[in-house]
Amino acid sequence: MKAYELLFFVDPASNEEVRAGVMKRVDVAITTNGGQVDSVEDWGKRKLAYEIDGLTEGDYTLINFHANAEDIAELDRVLRINDAVKRHMIVRRPDKD
């Protein structure tokens, strides 16, 4: 398994239930085929560099995890179809393998 980093943000006006639902869905997508979540950091509200979908702020979350390369496509698909997630980025971390 290889090390990855996922950074995403949701609308800061969304309630805690929506954020928990996103985290649960991400956790299931990572761990279904044997991946493991190493750490989760809640960065809180941050100002965006430019307006996205009418938002000027986002509620950011950073997740470090290990997974198989084949599972990254499924995680990306899950994040794309989730309306609560406005933007996301998955990056491979060779320094943490």
Side-chain angles (χ1 to χ4, degrees):
M1 285 194 281
K2 299 183 189 283
Y4 293 93
E5 180 177 88
L6 165 64
L7 180 67
F8 68 90
F9 78 88
V10 297
D11 184 348
S14 60
N15 59 21
E16 197 60 41
E17 185 177 304
V18 170
R19 291 185 195 123
V22 170
M23 284 301 301
K24 179 67 176 164
R25 188 64 187 107
V26 167
D27 186 60
V28 167
I30 291 171
T31 58
T32 297
N33 292 324
Q36 77 179 52
V37 175
D38 298 328
S39 67
V40 177
E41 295 178 35
D42 183 19
W43 285 6
K45 292 180 185 178
R46 303 274 174 123
K47 185 167 175 48
L48 302 177
Y50 54 91
E51 191 173 299
I52 298 174
D53 293 339
L55 299 174
T56 57
E57 288 186 326
D59 191 356
Y60 283 85
T61 304
L62 175 71
I63 301 173
N64 289 303
F65 64 98
H66 281 79
N68 295 317
E70 305 83 36
D71 301 331
I72 299 304
E74 173 62 16
L75 178 59
D76 187 51
R77 185 190 72 78
V78 165
L79 290 166
R80 284 182 193 269
I81 63 174
N82 193 326
D83 291 335
V85 177
K86 299 301 180 184
R87 291 283 193 275
H88 71 279
M89 181 172 59
I90 304 170
V91 179
R92 185 161 178 284
R93 296 289 309 264
D95 59 324
K96 295 199 177 189
D97 281 343

